[in-house]
Amino acid sequence: MQTIEYHLYRVKFIKPAQAPLFLTDMTPRQLFEKALAERPALQMRENNVWHIGNIEPITDDGGRFAVGRTTTTTVEKFDEETGNFTELRDEAGPYTYVYFDNRIGLLGIGKRTKVAADVESVARKIKKLLANTTVVIDHQVAVRVDLIPDPKSFLEKISNAYAVKRFMAEFTGPNPIDADEVFQKPMSYYCQQLGADQGSVSVKGESLNEDAIVSVAKSTAATGNSASAFIQSEQGARPNRISFRREACKVLIDQETEMEQVLISIQREYGEVRQ
């Protein structure tokens, strides 16, 4: 049976510190839902238009939509009646499905090479499409679509290290509701107040608290940000740098799987990262 590879991403709607006058403040979830409802389309280049459509609710908090591109192609055919070769203009519209949990902005983007060579390209198109909606433009919101890295290897190296000498983590403006209280939430608020898009913090010491680093690293990965560290493998050894891999978490699902089960599998994979 054929399987589909879904890559995990986080969509973020980062609001400015000062909301525009005369507009009702909206939550990231409301912005996401209204942006999808606009079914945005955007011409990326000549004869190449990207669209969001086929929006289907699955549960009260999740669903899926299709994203793809339309192009006009020339098809060469042989006409049996005239005995001549002809060229016909035809429209192609390859697409893939994106599952979402709108409580936390979780996306599971299906990999399909007919649509794009890699999923990262599709993620960039989703970002541009959502950023081009009326609701996002009116509310002066910045849209980000960031991959959720798999932190398992990083966390194992932290846990097995003799000492962690330095830890660095990135953050963006306020959005994810399940960010940790120690680092991501306060730093994202700080980022917003300065009018910044993103930032990073670095701390160092003789032996940093590994439990705290693991907790912040999980939250950092789950919110679609990156982290790195300098660890000492044994006493007296020279510290070496480790970091998250720039690859999204993936889940393989049979093509015939019911929509609700696909969404559950994507949420479960995210839960493995967060918890």
Side-chain angles (χ1 to χ4, degrees):
M1 185 178 293
Q2 187 176 357
T3 58
I4 301 175
E5 191 174 275
Y6 289 92
H7 294 213
L8 271 59
Y9 279 75
R10 202 74 186 253
V11 58
K12 309 173 191 177
F13 295 86
I14 302 173
K15 296 183 285 186
Q18 184 66 43
L21 293 175
F22 312 117
L23 284 178
T24 304
D25 188 34
M26 299 178 70
T27 65
R29 174 173 179 164
Q30 290 171 327
L31 288 165
F32 182 42
E33 291 174 342
K34 287 189 176 294
L36 282 183
E38 289 188 34
R39 298 175 181 266
L42 187 62
Q43 182 169 325
M44 303 296 178
R45 61 178 186 270
E46 187 178 358
N47 193 32
N48 189 296
V49 182
W50 281 77
H51 306 262
I52 284 178
N54 300 63
I55 303 159
E56 302 174 80
I58 299 174
T59 65
D60 290 341
D61 299 310
R64 74 174 185 178
F65 62 87
V67 60
R69 55 187 173 83
T70 55
T71 58
T72 303
T73 59
T74 300
V75 180
E76 297 176 337
K77 291 187 176 183
F78 181 74
D79 190 326
E80 294 286 352
E81 291 185 5
T82 64
N84 295 324
F85 289 97
T86 60
E87 291 185 352
L88 299 176
R89 301 281 283 178
D90 192 20
E91 282 197 355
Y95 66 92
T96 189
Y97 279 113
V98 180
Y99 285 79
F100 63 85
D101 183 328
N102 51 19
R103 296 170 301 174
I104 56 176
L106 173 64
L107 301 180
I109 305 174
K111 181 179 180 181
R112 194 175 180 211
T113 53
K114 284 186 177 181
V115 180
D118 54 71
V119 176
E120 183 66 26
S121 296
V122 178
R124 289 196 294 268
K125 300 302 189 300
I126 293 172
K127 172 187 173 179
K128 290 180 180 179
L129 285 162
L130 295 175
N132 195 51
T133 57
T134 301
V135 65
V136 166
I137 293 171
D138 286 348
H139 284 80
Q140 299 175 19
V141 170
V143 179
R144 293 181 63 97
V145 178
D146 296 323
L147 65 82
I148 296 176
D150 187 344
K152 291 187 183 71
S153 175
F154 180 87
L155 297 176
E156 287 174 4
K157 291 174 182 176
I158 292 291
S159 298
N160 294 330
Y162 171 75
V164 180
K165 297 293 187 178
R166 187 175 179 182
F167 178 66
M168 295 147 285
E170 295 179 351
F171 54 87
T172 53
N175 178 259
I177 63 171
D178 60 344
D180 69 279
E181 300 288 343
V182 174
F183 178 75
Q184 285 291 337
K185 280 190 177 179
M187 294 312 299
S188 63
Y189 177 76
Y190 168 73
C191 187
Q192 180 193 48
Q193 294 306 303
L194 291 182
D197 296 323
Q198 64 185 72
S200 63
V201 164
S202 175
V203 295
K204 59 182 179 179
E206 282 303 308
S207 183
L208 300 178
N209 185 316
E210 292 181 6
D211 290 338
I213 288 174
V214 166
S215 177
V216 173
K218 288 180 179 180
S219 177
T220 298
T223 51
N225 293 304
S226 186
S228 61
F230 280 88
I231 62 171
Q232 195 174 24
S233 57
E234 58 185 27
Q235 188 174 11
R238 183 177 179 177
N240 64 291
R241 187 178 186 271
I242 61 172
S243 60
F244 290 164
R245 294 177 180 174
R246 278 296 300 170
E247 295 179 359
C249 283
K250 305 176 184 67
V251 56
L252 288 173
I253 301 175
D254 291 337
Q255 190 174 19
E256 302 301 321
T257 304
E258 296 290 333
M259 288 193 301
E260 188 170 1
Q261 189 56 50
V262 175
L263 179 60
I264 290 172
S265 297
I266 290 169
Q267 291 169 324
R268 185 182 298 124
E269 182 68 18
Y270 169 78
E272 289 291 323
V273 176
R274 184 65 185 90
Q275 301 303 326

